[in-house]
Amino acid sequence: MMNQDNTVQNGEQREHFLQSLVAFTKNHRAVHWSGTLEEFLDKVLPVDPQGVARNSHQYIWDMIRWSRSEDEDGNVRCKLFQDELFGVDESIARVMDYFKAAAAGSEVGRRLLLLLGPPSGGKSTLVILLKRGLEEYSYTDAGAMYAIAGCPVHESPLHLVPHTLRSSFRETFGVEIHGEICPYCRSRLEEQYKGDFMQMPVERIFISEAGRVGIGTYAPHDPTTADLADLVGSVDLSKVAEYGDEGDPRAWSWSGAVYAASRGMLEMIEILKVKREFLYLLLTLTQEKNVKVSRFPLIYLDETILAHTNLAEFRKFLQESENEALLDRMVIIQVPYTLNYKEEARIYKKLISSAAPAFRDTHLDPHVLHAAAVFATLTRLHEIEEKEAELSKKVRIYANEDVEGVSRSEAERVKERMPEEGLSGVSPRFVINALSNAIIQSDARSLTTMDVLLALKDAIENDARIDPKRKRKWVDYLVLARKYFYNRWVKEDVHKALFVSFEQEAQDLLDKYLDEVEATLDNRQVKDPITNEERKPDERFLRSVEEKIHITDSGKQSFRQEVVRKAMGAYKRGEKFTLDSHAQLHDAVQQYLFEQRRDVLRLVSSSTRPDEDVRQKISVVERRLVDEYGYDTHSAREALNYVTTLLAQE
């Protein structure tokens, strides 16, 4: 019966997908337009003159604004990146600022945008997402773009308007025309249309990387064989015989990447590996919006150049003094690795979701990705001799967690990156490779956090690129990730699974703590809920809770006052003061309850020959770990055994 239901559901999904494809095709056919310049000026231009006259930076900025949405909290997010890039919000914001400033007409628009960062940090993904956004936007009404039909650089039809009439055009339509007609279209205008530019054909175009319209991509190859023709084209000898002149625009091969990118974006991959003459051509194109090739006058090209490179190439480039002028004409934005382990874990999840079914179908316990992400984050921090506890605090602060003994202002200071933080260390690919090896070697089709930490240790020790000193440091980081993060997480899971009434029990304990604290601060007695008799506040109970999070006797007064202030604030807002209202108390209450039930936990999780009662308790705990906390049977049993070991060591 279940197989029949799945077949019906799959059939419905296929039908829905086919309908979506048909609707997509119809929509893309419906938005085509073609006509003469006269028809264009009469029917198309008056509808949106500002949109028609946009330059490449303005077009990209409008695309970015079109892709924005507001979440439930009122935060504006760009849907281009929200499901693909994690932990690099600051870099994305700086890229957005670049396009906003360039679109407004500032000098920033005359600079080449260079993304700089370590391998696998998201540079290429960011550029790819912008390109896909441009392709999608060009099919919308807001993203409509028009060009002279048949133009090899798909230039704006407004270039056909003679210079003597452009001031009148500006007064009539309120927009400025920038640019010159290309040599190819100038030749066509004279030979085919006898100079009657009003009859030149115009069509709506759609940005397509595959179709070489509005997006060009250049990847460097062997510098000794690299040719400028890859960027600006060359004479097509097969057509010289046809047209009889190498200087005829029709005999020129317009296949260069800069022509494909006209009106949109040129992506330069590993730009600093190209010859210096390439760089000068690109920077002149950015600054002056034209290129010069033999036999032709200056060719006007309006495009945004977005380049990316790695740190090693950039440092080499900096050492050469003759590159100072080039650097001055670049806007450099760093795209470092994320230092937020929660965002790093999202990267792993995305990479796994796109992997082969064999990897996707392997069960990972709920802390596998986060523990690996903690390790990766530690390798990216500034290398100083800090105590393990301080490093773990730093990792939690970068993840925006409340940390005991660290105020909000102190946390903000900690999050001010050291210059090299996030620019080196373990890449997401390194972790995913280790995870893949662990999956391949696993017979259970289930991985625990300890399996993955051991796989990472093996990857470190067998990587010839890592020097011995760094290997030792990174193995220490694996121990730290286990000791200060995984141990805490797995103990909490087992504890909660063991006690069905945990949430209510914890809340009751929190309420009791708050009652006792308020009575202590007000110097009054507390009414015992059982005997109904009044008594002094239970200072011993208060200290037993507070000591779990290392609140000293001298610091207890200020801590208690802070708790009461937060509780009063919650009450005034009409909210209940819960464990989630105070991170430190949350930890203290959990540890207190855990301590109270330590003997029971030992009994349930470590009995070698359990009787029926104990066996039932073990079964309940395992089932809760599976049903409510993301484990499977194998990892749940391993978690119980691991916690038993921890208890034996304490």
Side-chain angles (χ1 to χ4, degrees), residues 51 125 127 129 216 218 281 288 395 453 474 500 510 557 622:
T125 302
V127 179
L129 293 172
Y218 180 84
L281 182 143
E288 310 297 338
V395 171
L453 291 178
W474 285 5
V500 178
L510 177 66
Q557 189 74 0
E622 287 183 357

Side-chain angles (χ1 to χ4, degrees), residues 59-76:
Y59 190 85
I60 295 172
W61 174 239
D62 285 345
M63 179 274 293
I64 290 168
R65 291 194 295 171
W66 161 79
S67 70
R68 285 179 166 184
S69 60
E70 191 172 298
D71 62 20
E72 296 177 355
D73 299 324
N75 299 315
V76 177

Side-chain angles (χ1 to χ4, degrees), residues 606-625:
S606 64
S607 296
T608 52
R609 295 185 179 181
D611 58 27
E612 187 59 31
D613 181 53
V614 172
R615 191 178 293 111
Q616 286 183 3
K617 286 184 178 181
I618 294 174
S619 177
V620 169
V621 173
E622 287 183 357
R623 191 162 59 249
R624 284 205 81 200
L625 286 171

Side-chain angles (χ1 to χ4, degrees), residues 97-144:
D97 289 343
Y98 165 85
F99 283 110
K100 182 178 181 180
S106 74
E107 278 295 303
V108 168
R110 294 180 177 273
R111 305 287 182 270
L112 181 151
L113 178 58
L114 176 64
L115 302 181
L116 173 67
S120 190
K123 304 183 298 298
S124 299
T125 302
L126 195 156
V127 179
I128 289 169
L129 293 172
L130 284 173
K131 293 191 293 187
R132 297 296 86 83
L134 286 173
E135 290 177 330
E136 184 180 352
Y137 181 59
S138 70
Y139 278 93
T140 67
D141 290 339

Side-chain angles (χ1 to χ4, degrees), residues 285-322:
L285 174 57
T286 306
Q287 187 81 20
E288 310 297 338
K289 292 191 179 297
N290 57 54
V291 295
K292 179 69 176 76
V293 297
S294 60
R295 302 175 183 85
F296 297 134
L298 293 173
I299 301 174
Y300 179 87
L301 295 172
D302 169 33
E303 57 195 61
T304 296
I305 302 179
L306 209 169
H308 45 95
T309 193
N310 61 48
L311 286 164
E313 293 296 330
F314 184 71
R315 286 167 179 154
K316 192 188 305 180
F317 188 77
L318 283 176
Q319 291 172 359
E320 300 174 7
S321 58
E322 60 267 35

